[in-house]
Amino acid sequence: MFKENYLFDTVGTDLEYTLIYTPTDTRNYNTIEVTSYITVSKASPTITYREQAYTYNGKVVTLNASTSNTDGVVLEYSYKLDGVEVNEIKDAGTYEIVITSPASTNY
């Protein structure tokens, strides 16, 4: 058990925490306190997007994806139409879409 309530919200290596163990049988065993060094790594964000078919109407299509990254990042989108990189989804065709979550403090 941790000596204090910790929120592991800091990414880093060798983060120092104090652990305390209190046995149920304190007559035969002693309570001990130790220092522990913990590494907290960045989480891998999850991106959610529901694939959809759109009817061509000459207007730019806006995609709606979400991410588990709670650091306030804006997802980045890239598109290819017939293997050629384009800036938006507008013309009829089949698009390859890549959605990424930029690196942040915790992701």
Side-chain angles (χ1 to χ4, degrees):
M1 164 179 279
F2 290 97
K3 184 175 180 179
E4 299 172 27
N5 289 328
Y6 292 109
L7 176 62
F8 296 100
D9 62 350
T10 303
V11 172
T13 56
D14 293 332
L15 302 172
E16 185 176 312
Y17 296 94
T18 302
L19 304 169
I20 189 165
Y21 172 72
T22 304
T24 53
D25 179 3
T26 55
R27 186 179 306 178
N28 294 308
Y29 300 96
N30 296 325
T31 296
I32 60 169
E33 195 171 300
V34 297
T35 300
S36 178
Y37 297 91
I38 297 174
T39 296
V40 178
S41 301
K42 287 187 174 192
S44 296
T46 300
I47 296 173
T48 305
Y49 173 74
R50 188 172 54 93
E51 190 173 329
Q52 302 175 57
Y54 295 94
T55 302
Y56 172 73
N57 63 7
K59 296 180 181 177
V60 175
V61 172
T62 302
L63 302 179
N64 291 312
S66 61
T67 179
S68 60
N69 183 338
T70 56
D71 287 345
V73 300
V74 176
L75 293 175
E76 298 171 350
Y77 299 82
S78 64
Y79 318 102
K80 286 185 181 179
L81 174 59
D82 298 325
V84 177
E85 199 165 311
V86 294
N87 293 324
E88 57 191 19
I89 298 174
K90 181 178 177 183
D91 297 322
T94 301
Y95 288 81
E96 175 185 333
I97 302 166
V98 176
I99 305 170
T100 55
S101 180
S104 63
T105 303
N106 295 306
Y107 291 87

